[in-house]
Short mmCIF file of all heavy atoms in Angstrom, two decimals:
data_model
loop_
_atom_site.label_atom_id
_atom_site.label_comp_id
_atom_site.label_asym_id
_atom_site.label_seq_id
_atom_site.Cartn_x
_atom_site.Cartn_y
_atom_site.Cartn_z
N MET A 130 27.78 0.10 2.78
CA MET A 130 28.48 0.84 3.83
C MET A 130 28.55 2.33 3.49
O MET A 130 28.42 3.18 4.36
CB MET A 130 29.89 0.29 3.97
CG MET A 130 30.32 0.06 5.39
SD MET A 130 31.87 -0.85 5.41
CE MET A 130 33.02 0.49 5.39
N GLY A 131 28.72 2.60 2.21
CA GLY A 131 28.85 3.98 1.75
C GLY A 131 27.60 4.81 2.00
O GLY A 131 27.66 6.04 2.03
N ILE A 132 26.44 4.14 2.18
CA ILE A 132 25.21 4.89 2.42
C ILE A 132 25.36 5.76 3.67
O ILE A 132 24.89 6.88 3.72
CB ILE A 132 24.00 3.93 2.57
CG1 ILE A 132 23.75 3.20 1.25
CG2 ILE A 132 22.75 4.69 2.99
CD1 ILE A 132 22.64 2.17 1.30
N LEU A 133 26.05 5.23 4.67
CA LEU A 133 26.17 5.98 5.93
C LEU A 133 27.46 6.78 6.04
O LEU A 133 27.64 7.52 6.99
CB LEU A 133 26.06 5.03 7.12
CG LEU A 133 24.65 4.78 7.65
CD1 LEU A 133 24.69 3.83 8.82
CD2 LEU A 133 23.99 6.09 8.06
N LEU A 134 28.37 6.59 5.08
CA LEU A 134 29.62 7.35 5.15
C LEU A 134 29.33 8.80 4.76
O LEU A 134 28.76 9.07 3.72
CB LEU A 134 30.65 6.75 4.19
CG LEU A 134 32.06 7.29 4.36
CD1 LEU A 134 32.73 6.60 5.53
CD2 LEU A 134 32.86 7.07 3.10
N THR A 135 29.74 9.74 5.62
CA THR A 135 29.44 11.13 5.28
C THR A 135 30.50 11.70 4.35
O THR A 135 31.68 11.68 4.66
CB THR A 135 29.38 12.00 6.55
OG1 THR A 135 30.48 11.62 7.36
CG2 THR A 135 28.11 11.79 7.30
N ILE A 136 30.02 12.19 3.21
CA ILE A 136 30.93 12.74 2.21
C ILE A 136 31.63 13.99 2.74
O ILE A 136 32.77 14.29 2.40
CB ILE A 136 30.14 13.05 0.92
CG1 ILE A 136 29.66 11.75 0.28
CG2 ILE A 136 30.98 13.83 -0.07
CD1 ILE A 136 30.76 10.76 -0.01
N GLN A 137 30.93 14.71 3.65
CA GLN A 137 31.51 15.91 4.23
C GLN A 137 32.88 15.63 4.83
O GLN A 137 33.77 16.46 4.78
CB GLN A 137 30.59 16.45 5.32
CG GLN A 137 29.43 17.28 4.84
CD GLN A 137 28.42 16.48 4.06
OE1 GLN A 137 28.45 15.26 4.00
NE2 GLN A 137 27.51 17.19 3.43
N SER A 138 33.06 14.41 5.37
CA SER A 138 34.31 14.13 6.07
C SER A 138 35.49 14.02 5.11
O SER A 138 36.63 14.11 5.54
CB SER A 138 34.17 12.85 6.90
OG SER A 138 33.83 11.77 6.07
N ILE A 139 35.24 13.81 3.81
CA ILE A 139 36.39 13.73 2.90
C ILE A 139 36.46 14.93 1.97
O ILE A 139 37.07 14.87 0.90
CB ILE A 139 36.39 12.42 2.09
CG1 ILE A 139 35.12 12.29 1.27
CG2 ILE A 139 36.57 11.22 3.00
CD1 ILE A 139 35.25 11.22 0.20
N MET A 140 35.86 16.05 2.38
CA MET A 140 35.84 17.21 1.49
C MET A 140 37.24 17.71 1.14
O MET A 140 37.54 17.96 -0.02
CB MET A 140 34.98 18.29 2.14
CG MET A 140 35.46 19.70 2.16
SD MET A 140 34.19 20.77 2.82
CE MET A 140 34.27 20.43 4.53
N VAL A 141 38.11 17.83 2.15
CA VAL A 141 39.44 18.35 1.86
C VAL A 141 40.30 17.35 1.06
O VAL A 141 40.91 17.73 0.06
CB VAL A 141 40.15 18.80 3.16
CG1 VAL A 141 41.60 19.14 2.90
CG2 VAL A 141 39.43 19.99 3.76
N PRO A 142 40.34 16.05 1.46
CA PRO A 142 41.06 15.10 0.62
C PRO A 142 40.55 15.06 -0.83
O PRO A 142 41.35 14.96 -1.76
CB PRO A 142 40.83 13.74 1.30
CG PRO A 142 40.15 14.00 2.56
CD PRO A 142 39.94 15.45 2.74
N LEU A 143 39.24 15.18 -1.02
CA LEU A 143 38.70 15.19 -2.38
C LEU A 143 39.27 16.36 -3.17
O LEU A 143 39.61 16.24 -4.35
CB LEU A 143 37.18 15.31 -2.34
CG LEU A 143 36.38 14.08 -2.72
CD1 LEU A 143 34.89 14.36 -2.61
CD2 LEU A 143 36.70 13.62 -4.13
N PHE A 144 39.38 17.49 -2.51
CA PHE A 144 39.96 18.67 -3.15
C PHE A 144 41.40 18.39 -3.56
O PHE A 144 41.82 18.68 -4.68
CB PHE A 144 39.88 19.86 -2.20
CG PHE A 144 40.76 21.02 -2.58
CD1 PHE A 144 40.38 21.90 -3.57
CD2 PHE A 144 41.98 21.20 -1.94
CE1 PHE A 144 41.20 22.97 -3.92
CE2 PHE A 144 42.80 22.27 -2.29
CZ PHE A 144 42.42 23.15 -3.27
N LEU A 145 42.18 17.79 -2.63
CA LEU A 145 43.59 17.51 -2.93
C LEU A 145 43.72 16.52 -4.10
O LEU A 145 44.53 16.73 -5.02
CB LEU A 145 44.28 16.93 -1.69
CG LEU A 145 44.44 17.89 -0.51
CD1 LEU A 145 44.96 17.16 0.73
CD2 LEU A 145 45.38 19.04 -0.88
N VAL A 146 42.89 15.48 -4.09
CA VAL A 146 42.95 14.48 -5.16
C VAL A 146 42.55 15.09 -6.49
O VAL A 146 43.20 14.88 -7.52
CB VAL A 146 42.07 13.26 -4.81
CG1 VAL A 146 41.97 12.31 -5.99
CG2 VAL A 146 42.64 12.53 -3.61
N ALA A 147 41.47 15.88 -6.49
CA ALA A 147 41.02 16.52 -7.74
C ALA A 147 42.12 17.42 -8.30
O ALA A 147 42.33 17.49 -9.51
CB ALA A 147 39.74 17.33 -7.48
N ASN A 148 42.81 18.10 -7.40
CA ASN A 148 43.91 18.96 -7.81
C ASN A 148 45.01 18.17 -8.50
O ASN A 148 45.51 18.55 -9.56
CB ASN A 148 44.50 19.64 -6.57
CG ASN A 148 44.40 21.12 -6.67
OD1 ASN A 148 44.39 21.66 -7.78
ND2 ASN A 148 44.32 21.80 -5.54
N MET A 149 45.39 17.04 -7.88
CA MET A 149 46.47 16.23 -8.43
C MET A 149 46.08 15.59 -9.75
O MET A 149 46.91 15.37 -10.62
CB MET A 149 46.85 15.13 -7.44
CG MET A 149 47.65 15.69 -6.28
SD MET A 149 47.88 14.42 -5.06
CE MET A 149 48.50 15.42 -3.74
N ALA A 150 44.80 15.26 -9.89
CA ALA A 150 44.34 14.63 -11.13
C ALA A 150 44.06 15.67 -12.21
O ALA A 150 43.55 15.33 -13.28
CB ALA A 150 43.08 13.82 -10.83
N ASN A 151 44.41 16.94 -11.94
CA ASN A 151 44.15 18.03 -12.89
C ASN A 151 42.67 18.18 -13.22
O ASN A 151 42.31 18.54 -14.33
CB ASN A 151 44.93 17.83 -14.19
CG ASN A 151 46.37 18.26 -14.01
OD1 ASN A 151 46.66 19.20 -13.26
ND2 ASN A 151 47.28 17.58 -14.68
N LEU A 152 41.82 17.87 -12.26
CA LEU A 152 40.39 17.99 -12.49
C LEU A 152 39.80 19.19 -11.74
O LEU A 152 38.60 19.42 -11.78
CB LEU A 152 39.66 16.71 -12.05
CG LEU A 152 39.89 15.52 -12.97
CD1 LEU A 152 39.36 14.25 -12.34
CD2 LEU A 152 39.25 15.78 -14.33
N TYR A 153 40.66 19.95 -11.06
CA TYR A 153 40.19 21.15 -10.38
C TYR A 153 39.73 22.17 -11.43
O TYR A 153 40.38 22.33 -12.46
CB TYR A 153 41.31 21.75 -9.52
CG TYR A 153 40.90 23.00 -8.80
CD1 TYR A 153 40.03 22.94 -7.72
CD2 TYR A 153 41.36 24.25 -9.22
CE1 TYR A 153 39.63 24.08 -7.07
CE2 TYR A 153 40.96 25.41 -8.57
CZ TYR A 153 40.09 25.33 -7.49
OH TYR A 153 39.69 26.46 -6.86
N ASN A 154 38.59 22.83 -11.14
CA ASN A 154 38.07 23.85 -12.06
C ASN A 154 37.71 23.30 -13.43
O ASN A 154 37.92 23.97 -14.44
CB ASN A 154 39.09 24.97 -12.22
CG ASN A 154 38.51 26.31 -11.79
OD1 ASN A 154 37.29 26.43 -11.63
ND2 ASN A 154 39.37 27.28 -11.59
N THR A 155 37.20 22.07 -13.48
CA THR A 155 36.70 21.55 -14.75
C THR A 155 35.30 20.98 -14.55
O THR A 155 34.97 20.50 -13.46
CB THR A 155 37.59 20.41 -15.30
OG1 THR A 155 37.56 19.33 -14.35
CG2 THR A 155 39.02 20.85 -15.52
N ARG A 156 34.49 21.04 -15.62
CA ARG A 156 33.15 20.45 -15.54
C ARG A 156 33.25 18.94 -15.36
O ARG A 156 32.48 18.34 -14.64
CB ARG A 156 32.36 20.77 -16.82
CG ARG A 156 31.91 22.21 -16.89
CD ARG A 156 30.73 22.37 -17.83
NE ARG A 156 30.30 23.75 -17.84
CZ ARG A 156 30.82 24.68 -18.62
NH1 ARG A 156 31.78 24.36 -19.48
NH2 ARG A 156 30.38 25.92 -18.56
N LEU A 157 34.26 18.34 -16.04
CA LEU A 157 34.43 16.90 -15.94
C LEU A 157 34.68 16.48 -14.50
O LEU A 157 34.10 15.50 -14.01
CB LEU A 157 35.59 16.46 -16.83
CG LEU A 157 35.81 14.94 -16.90
CD1 LEU A 157 34.61 14.26 -17.55
CD2 LEU A 157 37.09 14.61 -17.65
N GLY A 158 35.51 17.24 -13.80
CA GLY A 158 35.80 16.93 -12.40
C GLY A 158 34.54 16.94 -11.56
O GLY A 158 34.30 16.02 -10.77
N VAL A 159 33.71 17.97 -11.74
CA VAL A 159 32.46 18.07 -10.98
C VAL A 159 31.58 16.86 -11.28
O VAL A 159 31.03 16.22 -10.37
CB VAL A 159 31.71 19.37 -11.33
CG1 VAL A 159 30.36 19.42 -10.63
CG2 VAL A 159 32.55 20.58 -10.94
N LEU A 160 31.47 16.51 -12.58
CA LEU A 160 30.59 15.40 -12.97
C LEU A 160 31.08 14.08 -12.40
O LEU A 160 30.29 13.27 -11.92
CB LEU A 160 30.49 15.32 -14.50
CG LEU A 160 29.64 16.42 -15.13
CD1 LEU A 160 29.75 16.40 -16.65
CD2 LEU A 160 28.18 16.26 -14.71
N ILE A 161 32.40 13.85 -12.44
CA ILE A 161 32.95 12.59 -11.90
C ILE A 161 32.65 12.49 -10.41
O ILE A 161 32.18 11.47 -9.93
CB ILE A 161 34.47 12.52 -12.16
CG1 ILE A 161 34.73 12.27 -13.66
CG2 ILE A 161 35.12 11.42 -11.33
CD1 ILE A 161 36.19 12.27 -14.04
N VAL A 162 32.92 13.57 -9.69
CA VAL A 162 32.69 13.54 -8.24
C VAL A 162 31.20 13.36 -7.94
O VAL A 162 30.82 12.51 -7.12
CB VAL A 162 33.22 14.83 -7.59
CG1 VAL A 162 32.77 14.92 -6.14
CG2 VAL A 162 34.74 14.86 -7.66
N TYR A 163 30.34 14.12 -8.61
CA TYR A 163 28.90 14.01 -8.36
C TYR A 163 28.40 12.60 -8.62
O TYR A 163 27.60 12.05 -7.85
CB TYR A 163 28.12 15.01 -9.23
CG TYR A 163 28.05 16.40 -8.63
CD1 TYR A 163 27.40 17.43 -9.30
CD2 TYR A 163 28.61 16.67 -7.39
CE1 TYR A 163 27.31 18.70 -8.76
CE2 TYR A 163 28.53 17.93 -6.84
CZ TYR A 163 27.88 18.95 -7.53
OH TYR A 163 27.79 20.20 -7.00
#
Side-chain angles (χ1 to χ4, degrees):
Chain A
M130 226 170 90
I132 294 177
L133 271 180
L134 191 81
T135 43
I136 292 304
Q137 278 68 10
S138 59
I139 59 165
M140 135 174 75
V141 171
L143 252 179
F144 164 79
L145 293 172
V146 171
N148 240 332
M149 285 173 192
N151 281 327
L152 288 170
Y153 180 72
N154 240 345
T155 61
R156 286 202 178 86
L157 184 65
V159 175
L160 286 172
I161 288 176
V162 170
Y163 277 179

